[in-house]
Amino acid sequence: MSTAENPGILPPLGALLLGTHPLRRNDLEADTSALLPAALRDPRTRVLTLDAEGRAPIRCLPDPADAATADAAPARDAAPARDAAPARDAAPATTRGGARAEIAWAGTAPVAGPLAHLGLAADGAPVLLALPTAQTPGEASTATTSGTAAGAPSRRLGLREAAEMLDPEQTGWFTAGLALYRWHEQARHCPRCGAPTEPTRAGWARTCAAEGTELFPRTDPAIIAAVVHTDEHGEERILLGRSARWPADRYSTFAGFVEAGESLEAAVAREVGEEAGVRVVRAEYRGSQPWPFPRSLMLGFRAVVAEPGAARPDGTEIARVRWFTRRELAGEVRAGRVRLPGPVSIAHHLIADWYGGTLPEKAPQNPPEKAPETLPQNPEDESTR
């Protein structure tokens, strides 16, 4: 069934940056043989090009408010209007550090090698993905087929860094493209006989050249849980953990892969017990998020536990666990002593779901200044948690 007019179904957590925006995907049960030839004839077609590290070319867009201000600026000798109405431009895309950006799509002409048909954009234009080759280029052509900043300089960014700067649809295409790209990288040979495989079904399958076996993209399920407890006085707390690989101020929820033959609820109980030492008595599903690093699907839960005093880190993956009330969490974050996951990760939304609203942020030490409209130079590493 095609998702052409699907309005999207949101999880209890609400809209997430990755995976909840509906895309017009193809019906892969139907004949897909005409998809790529038709797209290659369509002048509107846009191509997502990723480098060997899975980064896409991203460029900043001008702020509509700044453009409106510049256009409305009075002549040097004229008296400024005191009650000028604000510009009625579309609301800016989700931002990170005040920057707005778009994917620097390539056209079909400069792209060499195999392509996958991801689907149709909201305006009906085909969206393709340049599949990995033996030598994936580090930079893509600057030719574009859409957007308002053609010719503006672009910079390669990963999905973690770009997701908060792109509009929801472009984030969705980047997410789907990256997941498919990583699968093609790892499925170049048949797992049965070792023979080479070739892309088929418009890039959504690979076929063994020797046996004809069809391979399809795989997704590895992983659970991620916000561990909570309510005491006899009605005080609610959340248990967060610090990975042994993280700085001392960084805390998040608990996560792990679902093992063979295991249910999601059993995986929640096992992972929380192994990493934090507490017994789960109830697991409530809250939502899911694709996490294409390289091919996970994060299934989010709220895990209610008994005997909170039994909480202890496993000492291997988790270095410290700590209970927080809402007031304690807000105070520690604002003081800069605790750092929580960013909004790209479902972990952020699981914590916010328990907190009951927007998560607190570190209090600024100096008056905020307007951030320059630039792409991040040293993007922070986001974890799968």
Side-chain angles (χ1 to χ4, degrees), residues 342-364:
V344 173
S345 169
I346 191 175
H348 174 99
H349 299 276
L350 286 168
I351 299 171
D353 181 50
W354 168 83
Y355 188 75
T358 303
L359 289 178
E361 297 181 355
K362 182 180 178 180

Side-chain angles (χ1 to χ4, degrees), residues 2 11 14 20 38 40 59 70-71 77 85 125 184 190 207 217 230 278 316 372 379 381:
S2 173
T20 53
L40 293 175
R59 61 171 165 239
D71 292 341
D77 297 327
H184 276 281
C190 176
T207 300
T230 304
V278 286
T316 303
D381 175 38

Side-chain angles (χ1 to χ4, degrees), residues 237-250:
R237 289 180 170 82
I238 188 169
L239 184 68
L240 300 178
R242 178 172 66 82
S243 168
R245 300 177 288 108
W246 292 350
D249 64 344
R250 189 170 177 179

Side-chain angles (χ1 to χ4, degrees), residues 18-19 21 23 25 48 50 116-119 127-129 131 159 168-184 203-204 217 290-292 294:
L18 305 186
H21 184 82
L23 300 177
R25 297 174 181 264
L48 174 62
L50 303 177
H117 196 296
L118 295 180
V127 180
L128 307 185
L129 169 70
L131 296 179
L159 179 60
E169 184 186 6
Q170 291 203 2
T171 299
W173 292 124
F174 195 168
T175 304
L178 179 58
L180 190 61
Y181 186 92
R182 289 304 190 203
W183 175 73
H184 276 281
W204 285 90
W291 195 248

